[in-house]
Amino acid sequence: PSLAVYHGMVMQSVMYIFNNLGLRCVPFLKRIVPHILNTVRTCGQESLRESLLKQVVSLSAIVKDHLRPYLPAIFDTVEEFWNTTRHLGTILSLVEKMADGVPDEFRNYVPRLVPQILSSIETSQNQISEWRSGNRQYANTSAQFDRLELILRSIRGLRGTLGDYLHLLVPALVKLLDVLTDPATTSGTAVHPEFSRLTITTVQTISVLLMTSDNTLPP
């Protein structure tokens, strides 16, 4: 019989041991990390996958730059599950941990990350327009709005690594803001209860990126 049901319990036990070992667990990473990432990508259970992803996030907080050899496989996993509703929050937490723990190496992967961000912003923008035209169900749009807010928060958290891509990110965010606040579509029509919150979050994100840009300019 399949032993997949035991993966979650086994990994919780492993993480308990690693937490107690601290950096002394580093020699064992080569035996553990590839197995976790492979299981994340091959298992058919969302709950198990989410649990394993959270374990990788916890592990990254313990070993930090010692996860450097596994960045290619980690980013393959990020790209594969970026568009899943269940896992995006954990995926973004993992990305931010990598940016903090392995900042120099992480920059090599930003060109793979930015297109994912831009695509998600564009999808949200399109769904906002569709909702206003009556072509989108409330529940589906709400789920997309939750994804968008997670991504906007992550952009702010990653601002220090996104400086070379502000010429792409800021215009995309301004276009999103235009759709959220377009008076031609808000006047006389129902306004989604999330619009105000997302408008504020988008403005905050643009402001943070522009302030980051100002701080990196030469005197």
Side-chain angles (χ1 to χ4, degrees):
S2 173
L3 298 178
V5 67
Y6 298 110
H7 269 107
M9 291 186 292
V10 170
M11 286 313 306
Q12 286 179 2
S13 299
V14 169
M15 288 307 303
Y16 176 80
I17 295 170
F18 278 17
N19 270 303
N20 282 280
L21 287 175
L23 290 178
R24 288 178 293 168
C25 75
V26 169
F28 303 102
L29 294 180
K30 62 184 178 182
R31 297 178 180 274
I32 298 297
V33 176
H35 172 73
I36 297 177
L37 295 176
N38 181 65
T39 305
V40 165
R41 300 185 70 180
T42 58
C43 76
Q45 302 175 30
E46 281 194 350
S47 58
L48 174 58
R49 183 182 298 118
E50 178 69 8
S51 175
L52 292 174
L53 285 169
K54 287 180 177 177
Q55 300 300 342
V56 178
V57 174
S58 299
L59 184 60
S60 67
I62 299 171
V63 301
K64 297 186 182 296
D65 63 326
H66 293 285
L67 280 183
R68 187 185 307 271
Y70 310 103
L71 271 178
I74 288 172
F75 264 85
D76 287 344
T77 303
V78 167
E79 289 181 327
E80 183 169 348
F81 296 104
W82 180 274
N83 290 319
T84 58
T85 301
R86 174 75 180 270
H87 306 307
L88 181 63
T90 306
I91 287 289
L92 291 173
S93 295
L94 179 57
V95 168
E96 292 182 42
K97 289 290 186 184
M98 293 296 96
D100 180 58
V102 199
D104 294 338
E105 189 77 12
F106 180 84
R107 291 182 184 276
N108 296 328
Y109 294 89
V110 175
R112 294 174 60 176
L113 179 63
V114 169
Q116 301 286 347
I117 294 174
L118 292 173
S119 176
S120 294
I121 292 173
E122 182 179 7
T123 298
S124 295
Q125 175 188 309
N126 291 338
Q127 290 195 344
I128 290 168
S129 297
E130 289 178 7
W131 187 88
R132 282 179 161 155
S133 65
N135 295 330
R136 177 67 60 172
Q137 293 296 316
Y138 176 91
N140 292 340
T141 308
S142 295
Q144 184 62 36
F145 287 177
D146 290 340
R147 285 177 52 83
L148 176 59
E149 182 156 22
L150 286 171
I151 289 168
L152 292 174
R153 291 181 186 278
S154 188
I155 290 172
R156 299 204 298 275
L158 294 168
R159 60 188 180 277
T161 64
L162 297 175
D164 292 339
Y165 300 90
L166 297 188
H167 65 291
L168 298 174
L169 292 169
V170 172
L173 290 169
V174 170
K175 192 173 181 180
L176 171 65
L177 187 62
D178 286 343
V179 173
L180 282 166
T181 60
D182 183 2
T185 56
T186 57
S187 178
T189 63
V191 177
H192 195 290
E194 299 294 329
F195 283 1
S196 295
R197 177 170 60 88
L198 284 172
T199 297
I200 293 171
T201 305
T202 303
V203 170
Q204 290 173 338
T205 304
I206 294 171
S207 299
V208 166
L209 289 178
L210 293 178
M211 286 189 290
T212 301
S213 175
D214 288 342
N215 291 336
T216 59
L217 292 174

